[in-house]
Amino acid sequence: MELNERMKTILAAVVHSYFTTAEPVSSSIIAQKYHLNLSTATIRHEMYLLEKNDYLWQPHTSSGRIPTDKGYRFYVDNLMVKNYLREKEKREIIQIYKKSKEFEEAMKTTSQLLSKLTDNIGVVLAPVIYNNIVKEIQFVAVGNNRILTVIVTDAGLVCQKIVNVSGEIDKDRLNYLSNFINSKLAEKDIDITNLNNILLDELEKIISLQERFNYVYNFLEECFNIRYSENKVYLDGRINLMKHPEFKETDKLNYILSLIEEENILAATIRGYLGFRKTKIIIGKESKLKEMQNCSLVTSEYSIKGKSAGAIGILGPTRMDYPRMISITEYISDKLSEILSEF
Amino acid sequence: MELNERMKTILAAVVHSYFTTAEPVSSSIIAQKYHLNLSTATIRHEMYLLEKNDYLWQPHTSSGRIPTDKGYRFYVDNLMVKNYLREKEKREIIQIYKKSKEFEEAMKTTSQLLSKLTDNIGVVLAPVIYNNIVKEIQFVAVGNNRILTVIVTDAGLVCQKIVNVSGEIDKDRLNYLSNFINSKLAEKDIDITNLNNILLDELEKIISLQERFNYVYNFLEECFNIRYSENKVYLDGRINLMKHPEFKETDKLNYILSLIEEENILAATIRGYLGFRKTKIIIGKESKLKEMQNCSLVTSEYSIKGKSAGAIGILGPTRMDYPRMISITEYISDKLSEILSEF
DNA sequence: ATTAGCACTCTCATAGGGAGAGTGCTAATT
DNA sequence: AATTAGCACTCTCCCTATGAGAGTGCTAAT
């Protein structure tokens, strides 16, 4: 069924009122607060139709109405008015970011900003590295039997790993090795995912010539074995959950807490939604995760030097101020992109 | 008032029964479950005295009794029977640790182990570095205008920092610099806290002689400026809170959630209790933090190569199985010490 | 010193009732 | 044909009452 204009107006009013008060919305509230010049009976009739079409639902007969996931979806896709951050808010965000001189700090600041500005949970996925071109590899002997491998990518991301080796470390050989590898890297663009295969193939050739490289082979294999599955996630504002009346019910709180406990699952979920467009909104049961059924997630991708790198987002009850969540997420992802590109 | 033997027995029984059932303990329950060969009236009389002396309290007149913080304290200090982990459990812990090849992994594994084994929140404070002797410093140019500084301490801890520099990096100068610094480090034991002062003093001398070092001065100042306040904390098992009936009450949950939201405060609190003895127990209001008033914290220090490095702990409701919490915390801290010492 | 006995207190579950909010339906109005 | 007034009906919420049950404190007897 196609919604007529009046139904759209009423749906938008219900979404707005329910977001504001967290109470089921009655026909008289719509009539009073939104000046539609309609009687409550007429509004009631339209709400009845909206309910029949799954845009609204009632906790019990003779109570006011609450938007369904479908109702929120229609609102987000067709009804909501874009929100713009005030200049003052933008300045404050920029001001706070000025203090972030390092990568880790920028990530933390971002999740804090997201949670403070939205009163929800702020989520930041660290940049993925696997589609990056490897620009440079350095080996640093730390102590007597450990080597710190530093991989620098074209986007300027730095990826480190400490590997234990048996036996003394010969610094000259280590130098020779890194010079050799870096010369190979300069020749062609090697994706970090292929690092292992390509470089070890190259090394095979030398090893057959120069036996003395043999001892580093195992160590290199370990160095290049970067675990892509390990997605660092920065979360902030869990306590904000307690501000929302929907999470007064223990089982709903339980769901969302177990969602944010398993950071890997949350990260994988967010990644699963990426790539289609910059900002993405997942409302309640639209997610396959049962833990997310009472929540909405607004995510926005950020980039480093123009190349998509990761995503930020906010997680809260489905009853949220979607226009504002979107504008905040988008603005912050833009700023984060700028900052990370400068590093 | 000095507690007589019978009062001690009854107090221990109340603590045990309340831990098991989470229900206020009545005189008849004590009589039935703990076979003291006393009538309920006698037990009631002793409980009355225990209450008068603040070891027990009643939620309301004519209800059973619950231990107070003081009651738990007396139990922990004088009554509880030491618990020993079963060999099977020890083996399982060792087995799980075998997978941890890296520092970061060991930290995460530890917090997970703590939370899984105790059904409470597992806390791990990363090793503090400020009382370590600096053994070695390496500079690695990453990209064109960034330098990765790697500081290795005598305990084998590695501390890294990326610093932006303006202008091109001369690799020969960087080498010269690190050789110079490492020679100075070999001469005397420099505490990491004094790194900045001492080395920059030394550099001053050279700079006056060799003008070309001037450009690195600012950069070094930034490199050595390690922020000690930044205490990395690993937390796991927040969801376990929901298993305990005491946190069904929203405001109690609120308190503990805000405690674990501010990881820095939690870390500082735990650090504040360290040093006196290996294992420390903080019960409810014994902590000055109002957020901790419904919780207990059991912490145990771990060491690296015999030198105290950090602490692990578990955080849960005051109604907890103290003997078991202690044995788990102590055993895991021992294992963690071993693993970190081997790295 | 211990205990049996008992009155007393408080919680908890249940039921009833009245107020209030809000709906759905129908008949009247525009 | 669309809108609305009117009204019966439903459901929640809050208050009160009531009785059972658990547990205590006290006293007198053992």
Side-chain angles (χ1 to χ4, degrees), chain A residues 102 136 138 140-143 146 148 150 152 156 160-161 227 236-239 242 250 253-254 257-258 261, chain B residues 102 136 138 140-143 146 148 150 152 156 160-161 227 237-239 242 250 253-254 257-258 261:
Chain A
E102 292 171 39
E136 195 182 340
Q138 297 273 1
V140 188
V142 292
R146 285 190 300 171
L148 170 70
V150 184
V152 186
Q160 298 161 19
K161 187 167 184 177
R227 274 161 309 139
D236 217 278
R238 290 168 234 251
I239 192 77
M242 307 301 288
T250 326
L253 185 61
N254 225 322
L257 278 181
S258 62
E261 177 88 9
Chain B
E102 292 171 40
E136 194 182 341
Q138 296 275 1
V140 187
V142 292
R146 283 191 300 173
L148 171 70
V150 184
V152 186
Q160 298 159 20
K161 187 167 184 179
R227 274 161 311 141
R238 289 169 234 250
I239 193 77
M242 307 301 288
T250 326
L253 186 61
N254 225 323
L257 278 181
S258 63
E261 176 88 10

Side-chain angles (χ1 to χ4, degrees), chain B residues 24-27 47 51 57-66:
Chain B
V25 184
S26 69
S27 53
M47 288 171 90
E51 180 172 347
W57 68 284
Q58 293 178 292
H60 57 86
T61 21
S62 85
S63 88
R65 261 96 174 184
I66 295 174

